[in-house]
């Protein structure tokens, strides 16, 4: 087994030792010369590391040598960390009174004792390093230059969203889709289909193609996706299935309660459940799980992906779909797209020749082809291609077994830049199928010292983002099914564990050398970890109830601690973790944090998200001088920010800022944000109603200088009492909160001004604008030429009559395009909204909304839809989805809508006066889904329904007479809809008398 070389850790140690700041620390500790000699020895060893890594595959002696060196490098890092921490504490303590400093002389931190301690440790490390250095010649290790150039020269771009090209699976998709849509089955109401094949063939990718097929979406009422992997535990799986069915987090309930809730969600519905990556071949376990799934309507299907035909057989599948490798031409198409896709013409024909030989060796396995293609696109020289073709790892790929797929993946690993290798293998800590968050992983990398900045102008988070995107681009990561996170393929995960297994926790192999531990919720005790001395990461899925946090404080070399949930409080002993960089105590039940947390001077990330009882943050928070990220989103009880927050000039992410509600709270004012100009990402400013002196505080917020902020939420208050506050004060305040033009998303809640600030028109990078509960707002600035605006949401703007006062008078040319990028509009609860333009210019036809694809209008009853309509529906020619509801004044659909010929989805609900659908509805030839709910006056369907040949699904609910006319083979309107494949018509006998949302004769609103 290969040993992992800590390239990044070694580089960081050398960087620190060579820094001017550390030379001064060495001078204070009387160890400057010894530190210089230590750095020289480390540099000597570093020079042969590339050669050592290549030779360890064939030499046990080299592998053992690397293992010893690894321990020494970590010792050196701890020494450097301890010296830096001592210096940081001195900086903090330097602000205290002399009397306190005198007392410190007798503590363990006095300078004489510390110098002696450091001197002994340096000597010990140098002696160990000398032994390793002396063995270099006997092991025949040669100096090789480490060339780690980030992928910029090739001109290719990486993206945080990588959309993999799935090639050669069209026929497979068609066959699987037909199988799922076939209602006949010998297995009863719920039947099982299976895709079987070796790892890396693309079973999950094929299942995703089928799962997202439009016909499948329209056929099944409920779709669920669950990654099973090796742990087939019935209660856990039922919980996961319920979570997928409800699209929400499920509490830790008893199995019977989970069963009741799952039954309520699935009973009588035709559902599709994908169980991805199943390994279980225990018949009883499957029978136990299946018993909870037999509640679906006839035609419900379970689709399983597995590597083993026996698994499929246990699940009752006699003839699974055995997935084959790609055909030669398909395999080449995939490789060519990855290796040469962005080169354009003029590819060296010799590279194509070598590439075809490489592809042959991959035996049609997409994962191997993808990995190899991603590697080769970074190689431009013919000699590099020939070298990889002749490599032992590629030669060993001779069959289609999983072990040989690993040889190609390992080849890609050894061609990773050294700065990426530890970042990749760190992910071996997580279980298979684990979905990780990009930002969280980057913060963990930073905490471990894996991110190295080559320039003082570089930002750790930005470099980490580049690292992540490089691994994504090279196919080591892929986006998860939910599109919310990322995963590693099982074989990629196997690769990571094979490289550095002894450094990562496994229940069956707990050794002293473990560095990183992911603790599953199924384990209740941590006693087996007591002998682990060098643990650097401890990541609890959920904190064991039988374990005290004081035990965790014994792991004093921790750099990252994730406590999960179940925590009721944090003890003072947390301060013993002096090297801690990352602390996640989110979703905990504590009301306060211990004062000792301020002693964690190395802490870079503090995550307190959804600690709903937390009332205050530490008052001396400025002592956390290394803090880069503070997440307090969801802390509902937090009423103010601590004074001194503005001194944390390293802060890059601050999720929320809460303005104190009274002077007695000793909370910070908004001016604490003045110097935090490196903030990036998203920030929410809460309770702006509490700002008393608008002129003073708002001038010092300095949002205009925060050029890295992308998402800004300005939240005044949800209090009804707030409605009486001054209009002028609100408008002045908002004017002073002008953000930098780089801002991409702006959300404003409960602003009580009449006019919105004019600066909104100048934030040209805005992609999203959302305004909620601004009940006095009557006038918006012009938005029509914001070039990047994609989403506009207006909700509960009850005084707004028109979105724009008039079409721009300066427009003299019909070539001008209004709202050039707008894709989505939501207009909700704007009770007085009458239209888009208050005044329309005549004689000029303007291009409007060329990209608009989705629109929702709810409870805007005064929108004009007759011949005098001021929303030009005919402009929405690209519209694909329209949802309208609670429009009690509408008796018909807007006439201009007939020109929205690209419309695919139309939803109409709670339109109490709607009497008929127009005959021109037949013009909407692209329409695929039509849903009509609770429109009691709608009593028939138009003749044009039969022209909707693309319509796949029609759903009618809460329309008693219409439902009766649409009953199968009996209803008058049945011939108009008989051609539609998927019909959901609520039977008339299920209806009951109710009064629809509307108005009484006196004008009062009722339900």
């Amino acid at each position: 087994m290969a040993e992992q070389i800590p390239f990044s850790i070694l580089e960081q140690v050398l960087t620190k030792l060579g820094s001017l700041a550390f030379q001064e620390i060495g001078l204070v500790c009387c160890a400057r010369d010894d530190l210089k000699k230590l750095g020289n020895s480390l540099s000597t060893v570093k020079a042969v590391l590339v050669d050592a890594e290549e030779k360890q595959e064939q030499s046990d002696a080299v592998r053992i040598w690397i293992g010893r060196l690894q321990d020494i490098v970590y010792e050196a890092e701890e020494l450097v960390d301890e010296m830096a921490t001592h210096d940081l504490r001195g900086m903090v303590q330097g602000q205290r009174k002399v009397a306190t400093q005198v007392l410190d002389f007798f503590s363990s931190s006095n300078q004489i004792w510390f110098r002696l301690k450091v001197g002994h440790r340096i000597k010990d490390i140098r002696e160990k390093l000398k032994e390793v250095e002396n063995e270099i010649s006997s092991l025949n290790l040669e100096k090789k230059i480490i060339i780690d150039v980030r992928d910029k020269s090739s001109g290719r771009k990486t993206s945080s969203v990588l959309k993999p090209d799935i090639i050669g699976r069209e026929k497979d998709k068609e066959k699987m889709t037909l199988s799922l849509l076939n209602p006949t089955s010998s297995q009863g109401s719920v039947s099982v289909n299976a895709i079987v094949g070796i790892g890396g063939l693309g079973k999950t990718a094929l299942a995703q193609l089928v799962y997202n097929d439009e016909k499948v979406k329209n056929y099944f009422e409920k779709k669920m996706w669950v990654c099973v992997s090796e742990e087939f535990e019935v209660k856990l799986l039922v919980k996961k299935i319920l979570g997928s069915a409800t699209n929400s987090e499920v509490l830790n309930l008893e199995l019977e309660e989970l069963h009741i809730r799952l039954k309520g969600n699935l009973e009588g519905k035709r559902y599709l459940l994908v169980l991805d990556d199943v390994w279980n071949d225990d018949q009883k376990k499957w029978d136990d799980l299946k018993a909870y799934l037999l509640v679906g309507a006839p035609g419900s299907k379970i689709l399983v992906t597995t590597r083993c035909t026996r698994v499929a057989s246990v699940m009752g599948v006699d003839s699974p779909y055995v997935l084959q490798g790609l055909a030669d031409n398909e395999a080449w198409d995939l490789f060519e797209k990855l290796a040469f896709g962005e080169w354009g013409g003029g590819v060296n024909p010799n590279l194509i020749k070598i590439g075809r030989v490489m592809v042959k060796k991959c035996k049609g396995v997409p994962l191997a082809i993808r990995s190899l293609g991603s590697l080769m696109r970074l190689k431009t020289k013919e000699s590099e291609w020939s070298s990889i073709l002749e490599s032992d790892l590629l030669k060993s790929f001779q069959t289609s077994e999983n072990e040989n797929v690993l040889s190609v993946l390992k080849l890609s690993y050894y061609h990773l830049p050294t700065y990426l290798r530890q970042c990749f293998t760190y992910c071996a800590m997580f279980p298979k199928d684990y979905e990780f968050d990009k930002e969280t992983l980057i913060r963990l990398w930073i905490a471990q010292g894996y991110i190295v900045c080559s320039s003082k102008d570089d930002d750790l988070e930005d470099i980490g983002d580049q690292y992540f995107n490089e691994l994504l681009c090279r196919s080591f990561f892929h986006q998860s099914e939910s599109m919310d996170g990322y995963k590693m393929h099982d074989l990629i995960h196997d690769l990571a564990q094979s490289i550095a297994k002894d450094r990562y926790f496994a229940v069956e192999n707990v050794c002293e050398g473990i560095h990183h531990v992911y603790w599953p919720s199924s384990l209740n005790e941590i006693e087996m970890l007591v002998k682990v001395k060098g643990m650097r990461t401890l990541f609890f899925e959920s904190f064991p109830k039988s374990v005290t946090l004081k035990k965790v404080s014994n792991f004093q070399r921790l750099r990252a601690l994730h406590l999960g949930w179940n925590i009721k409080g944090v003890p003072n002993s947390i301060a013993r973790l002096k090297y801690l960089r990352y602390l996640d105590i989110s979703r905990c039940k504590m009301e306060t944090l211990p004062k000792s947390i301020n002693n964690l001077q190395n802490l870079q990330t503090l995550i307190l998200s959804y600690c709903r009882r937390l009332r205050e943050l530490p008052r001396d928070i400025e002592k956390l001088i290394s803090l880069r990220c503070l997440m307090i989103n969801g802390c509902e009880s937090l009423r103010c920010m601590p004074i001194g927050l503005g001194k944390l000039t390293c802060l890059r992410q601050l999720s929320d800022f809460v303005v104190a509600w009274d002077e007695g709270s000793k909370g910070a004012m908004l001016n604490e944000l003045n110097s935090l100009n490196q903030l990036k990402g998203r920030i929410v400013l809460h309770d702006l109603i509490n700002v008393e002196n608008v002129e003073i505080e708002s001038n010092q917020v300095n949002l205009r200088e925060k050029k890295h902020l992308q998402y800004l939420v300005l939240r005044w208050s949800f209090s009804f009492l707030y409605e009486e506050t001054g209009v002028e004060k609100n408008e002045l305040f908002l004017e002073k909160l002008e953000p930098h033009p780089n801002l991409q998303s702006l959300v404003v809640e409960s602003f009580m001004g009449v006019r919105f600030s004019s600066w909104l028109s100048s934030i040209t990078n805005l992609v999203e604008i959302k305004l909620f509960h601004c009940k006095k707002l009557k006038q918006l600035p012009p938005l029509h030429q914001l070039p990047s605006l994609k989403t506009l949401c207006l909700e509960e703007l009850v005084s707004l009559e028109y979105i724009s006062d008039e079409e721009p008078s300066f427009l003299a040319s019909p070539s001008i395009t209004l709202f050039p990028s707008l894709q989505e509009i939501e207009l909700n609860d704007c009770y007085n909204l009458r239209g888009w333009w208050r005044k329309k210019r005549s004689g000029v036809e303007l291009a409007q909304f060329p990209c608009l694809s989705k629109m929702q209008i709810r409870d805007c009853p005064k929108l004009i839809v007759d011949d005098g309509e001021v929303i030009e529906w005919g402009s929405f020619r690209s519209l694909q989805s329209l949802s309208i509801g609670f429009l009690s004044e509408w008796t018909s659909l807007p006439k201009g809508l007939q020109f929205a010929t690209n419309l695919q989805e139309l939803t109409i609900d709670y339109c109490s006066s709607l009497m008929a659908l127009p005959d021109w509805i037949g013009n909407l030839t692209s329409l695929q889904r039509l849903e009509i709910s609770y429109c009691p006056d709608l009593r028939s369907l138009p003749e044009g329904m039969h022209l909707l040949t693309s319509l796949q699904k029609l759903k009618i609910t809460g329309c008693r007479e219409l439902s009766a006319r649409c009953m199968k083979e009996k209803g008058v309107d049945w011939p108009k809809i008989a051609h539609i494949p998927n019909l959901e018509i609520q039977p008339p006998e299920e209806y009951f008398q109710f009064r629809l949302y509307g108005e009484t004769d006196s004008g009062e609103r009722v339900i």
Side-chain angles (χ1 to χ4, degrees):
M1 183 184 298
E3 283 286 346
Q4 182 189 19
I5 295 180
F7 287 105
S8 300
I9 301 295
L10 179 54
E11 184 67 35
Q12 192 167 86
V13 170
L14 288 171
T15 300
K16 287 182 178 179
L17 288 175
S19 68
L20 180 62
F22 216 87
Q23 289 175 30
E24 292 177 358
I25 294 173
L27 193 63
V28 171
C29 294
C30 301
R32 186 171 181 176
D33 291 340
D34 286 338
L35 288 173
K36 185 176 180 179
K37 291 175 183 177
L38 176 62
N40 291 337
S41 296
L42 288 171
S43 296
T44 300
V45 173
K46 177 189 173 186
V48 301
L49 286 184
V50 172
D51 190 45
E53 185 173 46
E54 292 173 358
K55 289 179 177 177
Q56 68 169 322
E57 292 284 344
Q58 289 78 38
S59 171
D60 287 341
V62 174
R63 181 175 56 80
I64 294 169
W65 181 86
I66 292 174
R68 288 165 53 207
L69 173 62
Q70 190 178 45
D71 291 334
I72 297 169
V73 169
Y74 282 118
E75 273 192 68
E77 186 204 21
E78 287 175 12
L79 169 67
V80 169
D81 265 2
E82 184 163 3
M83 295 176 70
T85 301
H86 185 78
D87 185 59
L88 285 173
R89 287 187 171 176
M91 290 171 61
V92 172
Q93 291 171 350
Q95 303 169 6
R96 298 187 302 174
K97 295 180 180 179
V98 176
T100 309
Q101 293 175 359
V102 171
L103 290 174
D104 281 348
F105 179 84
F106 299 99
S107 72
S108 60
S109 63
N110 79 72
Q111 297 298 324
I112 299 173
W113 178 88
F114 186 73
R115 288 172 187 169
L116 291 172
K117 179 182 176 183
V118 166
H120 285 302
R121 289 191 66 185
I122 295 175
K123 182 180 178 181
D124 183 50
I125 293 171
R126 284 189 58 210
E127 288 176 356
K128 292 178 182 178
L129 196 56
K130 193 66 178 176
E131 293 178 13
V132 169
E133 194 177 348
N134 290 337
E135 295 177 24
I136 290 176
S137 57
S138 63
L139 294 171
N140 296 317
L141 298 179
E142 300 174 354
K143 293 182 180 180
K144 287 191 176 182
I145 299 174
I146 300 175
I147 302 177
D148 279 345
V149 180
R150 290 177 196 154
D151 181 27
K152 294 179 181 178
S153 59
S154 66
R156 299 180 178 84
K157 296 181 180 179
T158 62
S159 168
S160 62
V161 179
L162 189 68
K163 297 180 180 178
D165 300 301
I166 300 176
I167 292 175
R169 294 303 186 198
E170 292 80 8
K171 291 182 180 178
D172 298 303
K173 176 193 170 186
E174 185 179 343
K175 290 177 181 178
M176 286 306 304
T177 301
L178 287 174
S179 177
L180 292 180
L181 299 182
N182 181 6
T184 59
S185 172
S186 59
Q187 300 181 29
S189 62
V190 181
S191 57
V192 184
N193 295 50
I195 303 172
V196 177
I198 66 163
L201 267 185
K203 301 182 294 297
T204 299
L206 175 57
Q208 287 173 340
L209 280 175
V210 174
Y211 187 82
N212 291 302
D213 181 80
E214 282 299 323
K215 292 179 181 178
V216 171
K217 284 183 180 180
N218 291 325
Y219 183 76
F220 293 101
E221 298 173 67
K222 183 81 71 174
K223 294 196 309 168
M224 298 155 288
W225 183 290
V226 171
C227 291
V228 180
S229 200
E230 297 175 23
E231 187 177 356
F232 198 95
E233 199 272 305
V234 173
K235 180 181 176 181
L236 178 62
L237 289 175
V238 172
K239 181 179 177 182
K240 285 184 176 181
I241 294 169
L242 178 59
S244 182
T246 58
N247 195 29
S248 62
E249 186 177 350
V250 179
L251 299 174
N252 194 21
L253 306 171
E254 293 300 321
L255 182 57
E256 186 56 34
E257 179 62 26
L258 291 171
H259 175 214
I260 292 170
R261 296 193 183 189
L262 182 62
K263 183 179 179 181
N265 274 275
L266 300 185
E267 191 168 27
K269 295 180 181 177
R270 185 163 56 211
Y271 71 77
L272 170 63
L273 169 62
V274 176
L275 297 177
D276 186 38
D277 193 25
V278 180
W279 291 73
N280 171 66
D281 59 3
D282 186 325
Q283 184 72 56
K284 184 179 184 307
K285 286 185 177 181
W286 165 242
D287 289 342
D288 289 345
L289 177 63
K290 189 176 181 181
Y292 296 103
L293 303 174
L294 299 177
V295 293
S300 295
K301 296 291 176 76
I302 299 172
L303 178 59
V304 177
T305 70
T306 180
R307 298 187 193 180
C308 180
T309 54
R310 172 166 169 73
V311 171
S313 178
V314 163
M315 302 178 85
V317 183
D318 296 326
S319 302
Y321 190 82
V322 180
L323 194 60
Q324 304 296 326
L326 297 178
D328 288 349
N329 62 316
E330 295 167 341
W332 173 251
D333 287 345
L334 177 58
F335 178 85
E336 183 181 38
K337 184 166 287 190
L338 290 165
F340 305 125
E342 297 178 25
W343 281 14
V347 177
N348 184 342
N350 289 337
L351 297 187
I352 294 176
K353 185 177 179 180
I354 296 170
R356 287 191 179 277
V357 177
M358 288 180 173
V359 172
K360 281 277 188 185
K361 291 179 177 289
C362 291
K363 307 295 183 183
V365 179
L367 181 63
I369 298 168
R370 185 174 296 281
S371 178
L372 196 57
S374 298
L375 167 64
M376 300 317 298
R377 72 170 168 177
L378 303 173
K379 310 293 182 183
T380 57
K381 297 178 182 177
E382 186 177 334
S383 59
E384 294 175 316
W385 282 60
S386 297
S387 175
I388 291 174
L389 177 63
E390 297 301 320
S391 66
D392 292 335
L393 285 171
L394 196 55
K395 285 181 178 179
S396 70
F397 194 88
Q398 296 172 350
T399 70
S400 58
E401 295 301 322
N402 293 331
E403 286 300 318
N404 292 292
V405 178
L406 275 174
S407 67
V408 174
L409 303 181
K410 192 172 289 187
L411 180 67
S412 294
Y413 169 79
Y414 283 129
H415 280 81
L416 279 178
T418 56
Y419 59 81
L420 291 181
R421 296 183 193 180
Q422 279 188 286
C423 293
F424 165 64
T425 53
Y426 183 79
C427 301
M429 170 182 71
F430 301 112
K432 284 186 177 180
D433 280 324
Y434 183 80
E435 183 173 333
F436 50 84
D437 172 71
K438 178 180 180 178
E439 289 188 355
T440 299
L441 186 58
I442 291 172
R443 290 174 192 144
L444 288 168
W445 286 344
I446 291 173
Q448 299 302 324
Y450 297 162
I451 309 297
V452 179
C453 293
S454 56
S455 164
K456 66 178 182 179
D457 297 325
D458 287 343
D459 193 83
L460 287 172
E461 289 78 12
D462 291 341
I463 301 299
D465 189 72
Q466 291 179 27
Y467 285 11
F468 188 97
N469 287 340
E470 282 193 61
L471 288 168
L472 184 65
C473 180
R474 294 167 183 261
S475 301
F476 286 91
F477 300 152
H478 66 266
Q479 211 158 20
S480 63
E481 299 81 16
S482 67
M483 304 297 283
D484 293 330
Y486 299 85
K487 290 186 177 183
M488 293 195 298
H489 189 281
D490 281 359
L491 290 178
I492 299 285
H493 187 271
D494 290 343
L495 171 67
Q497 289 199 325
S498 72
I499 293 167
K501 187 174 181 181
D502 287 345
R503 297 297 181 182
Y504 296 85
F505 169 74
V507 176
E508 67 277 4
N509 180 30
V510 179
C511 59
E512 292 186 19
I514 289 175
H515 283 165
H516 308 290
V517 173
Y518 178 94
W519 198 262
S521 56
S522 56
L523 297 178
N524 294 320
E525 291 291 343
I526 62 171
E527 298 303 325
M528 63 179 75
L529 296 178
V530 171
K531 63 181 179 180
V532 179
K533 303 301 181 185
M535 193 188 307
R536 301 168 64 86
T537 303
L538 183 52
F539 196 109
F540 288 99
E541 182 179 13
S542 64
F543 196 74
K545 293 181 180 180
S546 59
V547 177
T548 63
L549 267 176
K550 289 184 178 180
K551 287 186 178 180
V552 174
S553 301
N554 292 328
F555 302 114
Q556 294 185 31
R557 296 179 182 177
L558 279 176
R559 264 69 175 171
L561 176 60
H562 181 285
L563 292 173
W565 44 279
N566 276 343
I567 302 296
K568 294 182 179 179
V570 178
N572 280 311
S573 59
I574 193 77
R576 296 172 64 186
L577 305 178
K578 60 183 178 181
Y579 302 127
L580 200 64
R581 265 87 166 165
Y582 177 99
L583 177 60
D584 186 336
I585 42 181
S586 53
R587 301 182 186 276
C588 296
K589 300 175 182 178
M590 61 199 172
E591 295 185 359
T592 58
L593 291 166
K595 293 181 180 179
S596 63
I597 203 168
N598 290 323
N599 293 328
L600 300 176
Q601 273 81 39
N602 282 304
L603 194 65
Q604 298 168 328
T605 297
L606 177 58
I607 301 179
L608 303 166
S609 304
Y610 299 100
C611 293
R612 301 188 188 278
R613 300 181 186 178
L614 187 66
R615 292 185 284 106
E616 61 179 3
L617 296 173
R619 293 194 176 181
D620 294 331
I621 199 169
E622 69 266 24
K623 292 182 179 179
L624 299 177
I625 56 178
S626 301
L627 200 64
R628 304 178 68 87
C629 173
L630 176 59
M631 304 298 289
I632 51 175
N633 50 304
C635 295
E636 300 168 351
S637 301
L638 198 62
R639 289 293 174 262
C640 65
M641 306 300 289
I643 295 173
L645 182 73
K647 296 179 181 179
L648 301 178
T649 54
C650 288
L651 265 182
R652 297 297 187 269
Q653 289 181 292
L654 175 63
S655 65
D656 299 72
F657 188 100
V658 182
V659 179
W661 67 276
D662 69 348
E663 295 180 0
S665 65
K666 296 183 180 180
M669 293 195 300
L670 272 176
N671 58 14
E672 291 281 353
L673 294 172
N674 181 52
S675 57
L676 302 182
N677 289 334
Q678 298 304 312
L679 289 176
K680 58 178 59 178
R682 181 177 189 268
I683 187 170
V684 182
L685 304 186
H686 294 267
D687 297 338
L688 295 174
I689 181 180
N690 295 331
V691 174
E692 291 294 331
N693 194 323
V694 168
E695 190 70 44
I696 294 176
E697 289 198 49
S698 59
N699 274 337
Q700 297 183 8
V701 176
N702 205 19
L703 290 179
R704 178 81 181 174
E705 298 301 316
K706 295 171 177 41
K707 62 182 179 180
H708 304 295
L709 273 182
Q710 293 179 305
Y711 307 96
L712 174 63
V713 180
L714 303 176
R715 184 173 290 163
W716 266 257
S717 172
F718 290 111
S719 170
F720 290 109
L721 297 175
Y722 179 54
E723 296 184 21
E724 302 305 318
T725 58
V727 168
E728 290 185 8
K729 175 183 176 182
N730 275 263
E731 292 180 356
L732 173 62
F733 195 6
L734 184 61
E735 191 67 37
K736 300 290 186 180
L737 293 176
E738 179 181 356
H740 191 278
N742 287 347
L743 194 73
Q744 294 184 16
S745 175
L746 175 67
V747 179
V748 178
E749 298 181 11
S750 302
F751 167 67
M752 284 297 161
V754 172
R755 292 177 177 84
F756 203 95
S757 298
S758 59
W759 53 252
L760 184 61
S761 301
S762 65
I763 312 299
T764 53
N765 284 303
L766 272 175
V767 174
E768 177 181 71
I769 297 174
K770 293 185 177 183
L771 307 180
F772 299 111
H773 318 296
C774 302
K775 296 187 176 182
K776 294 184 180 181
L777 189 63
K778 292 183 178 181
Q779 186 174 333
L780 292 172
L783 306 175
H784 51 269
Q785 282 195 289
L786 288 175
S788 304
L789 186 65
K790 293 183 178 180
T791 300
L792 176 64
C793 177
L794 307 178
E795 183 170 310
E796 210 172 333
L797 274 58
V798 297
S799 299
L800 188 71
E801 293 186 357
Y802 295 93
I803 296 171
S804 292
D805 271 1
E806 62 178 332
E807 286 184 347
S809 59
F810 63 84
L811 294 178
S813 170
S815 63
I816 298 295
T817 300
L818 306 184
F819 300 96
S821 301
L822 193 62
Q823 297 176 2
E824 182 175 353
I825 297 174
E826 286 189 29
L827 306 174
N828 300 322
D829 304 320
C830 298
Y831 306 132
N832 285 297
L833 186 67
R834 294 180 177 275
W836 200 278
W837 309 104
R838 185 183 298 272
K839 300 176 184 177
K840 275 187 56 61
R841 298 178 71 232
S842 59
V844 180
E845 288 295 326
L846 299 173
Q848 302 178 36
F849 313 106
C851 298
L852 187 67
S853 62
K854 186 175 182 179
M855 189 171 192
Q856 175 177 297
I857 303 175
R858 302 186 71 79
D859 214 351
C860 302
K862 293 186 179 180
L863 273 178
I864 302 172
V865 296
D866 57 15
D867 291 337
E869 62 187 46
V870 290
I871 288 186
E872 296 185 0
W873 296 90
S875 300
F876 302 155
R877 296 181 185 274
S878 61
L879 192 65
Q880 296 181 12
S881 175
L882 173 63
S883 175
I884 56 177
F886 293 95
L887 300 174
S888 58
E889 302 295 321
W890 284 28
T891 58
S892 63
L893 296 181
K895 294 177 181 178
L897 192 59
Q898 63 184 303
F899 302 110
T901 52
N902 285 309
L903 193 66
Q904 297 177 12
E905 296 183 5
L906 176 59
T907 302
I908 306 168
D909 57 31
Y910 293 98
C911 293
S912 57
S913 300
L914 187 66
M915 301 180 68
L917 296 181
D919 281 332
W920 54 251
I921 199 169
N923 296 347
L924 305 180
T925 53
S926 299
L927 197 64
Q928 296 179 14
R929 295 172 65 97
L930 174 59
E931 297 188 13
I932 306 170
S933 304
Y934 303 104
C935 300
D937 287 349
L938 185 61
R939 293 182 170 87
S940 65
L941 295 175
E943 293 296 332
M945 289 294 296
H946 72 278
L947 298 175
L948 300 177
T949 54
S950 298
L951 194 60
Q952 297 294 311
K953 183 172 183 176
L954 172 64
K955 183 176 181 179
I956 299 174
T957 307
C959 309
R960 185 171 186 172
E961 292 188 36
L962 183 60
S963 290
R965 291 177 63 93
C966 293
M967 293 310 295
K968 185 175 181 180
E969 298 177 355
K970 297 179 182 179
V972 178
D973 286 345
W974 171 251
K976 302 174 185 177
I977 63 173
H979 65 287
I980 303 172
N982 193 354
L983 293 168
E984 291 184 31
I985 313 295
Q986 186 177 8
E989 59 270 17
E990 292 185 6
Y991 286 76
F992 55 89
Q993 293 295 323
F994 64 93
R995 189 165 194 175
L996 187 68
Y997 176 77
E999 295 183 356
T1000 65
D1001 293 337
S1002 63
E1004 295 176 341
R1005 301 196 121 180
V1006 296
I1007 295 291

